[in-house]
């Protein structure tokens, strides 16, 4: 049975510029990509790719010209669907929020 949340988001629902505090937390990939964690370290917002064996890469998040992105071997844009509470990374696919 399909639910409303299973529908793909329309362009109006997906936001490319949004308050970074709205996406803080841990996110799990629906496509098998590494888990990510978004947090504020006291001076700026950061994104952390968490790989197996306690390996993680941390990069700063940037908002400029209406886009949210980070540089990790190239520019990776982030979009946020607030209705479904999903992130979309241009190279990694969709992520859902992990609630503890």
């Amino acid at each position: 049975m399909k639910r409303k949340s299973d529908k793909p988001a329309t362009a109006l629902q997906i936001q490319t510029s949004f308050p970074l505090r709205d996406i803080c937390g841990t996110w799990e990939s629906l496509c098998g990509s590494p888990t990510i964690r978004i947090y504020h370290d006291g001076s700026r917002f950061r994104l952390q790719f968490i790989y197996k064996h306690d390996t993680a890469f941390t990069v700063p998040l940037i908002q400029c010209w209406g886009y949210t992105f980070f540089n990790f071997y190239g520019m990776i844009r982030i979009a946020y669907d607030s209705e479904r509470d999903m992130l979309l990374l241009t190279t990694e696919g969709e992520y859902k929020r992990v609630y503890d």
Side-chain angles (χ1 to χ4, degrees):
M1 175 182 272
K2 293 235 177 211
R3 296 183 308 235
K4 181 180 179 183
S5 63
D6 293 338
K7 292 181 187 176
T10 64
L12 295 175
Q13 294 168 325
I14 297 176
Q15 304 166 354
T16 56
S17 183
F18 41 84
L20 292 176
R21 68 181 174 275
D22 290 353
I23 62 169
C24 284
T26 304
W27 298 82
E28 184 177 86
S29 174
L30 300 179
C31 305
S33 295
T35 299
I36 61 173
R37 183 175 150 242
I38 299 173
Y39 64 96
H40 190 266
D41 69 358
S43 63
R44 64 188 320 175
F45 286 91
R46 298 196 180 271
L47 181 140
Q48 186 176 53
F49 277 102
I50 303 168
Y51 292 90
K52 294 178 183 178
H53 307 295
D54 298 327
T55 303
F57 294 97
T58 305
V59 293
L61 287 175
I62 303 163
Q63 284 190 314
C64 184
W65 295 97
Y67 293 104
T68 303
F69 63 95
F70 60 95
N71 289 310
F72 189 68
Y73 301 107
M75 185 173 85
I76 301 174
R77 291 185 187 169
I78 299 175
Y80 178 55
D81 180 359
S82 58
E83 185 176 303
R84 296 187 313 147
D85 199 24
M86 299 283 283
L87 283 183
L88 177 65
L89 277 63
T90 53
T91 61
E92 304 299 320
E94 289 186 325
Y95 280 79
K96 65 178 179 177
R97 191 183 302 265
V98 175
Y99 293 98
D100 296 328

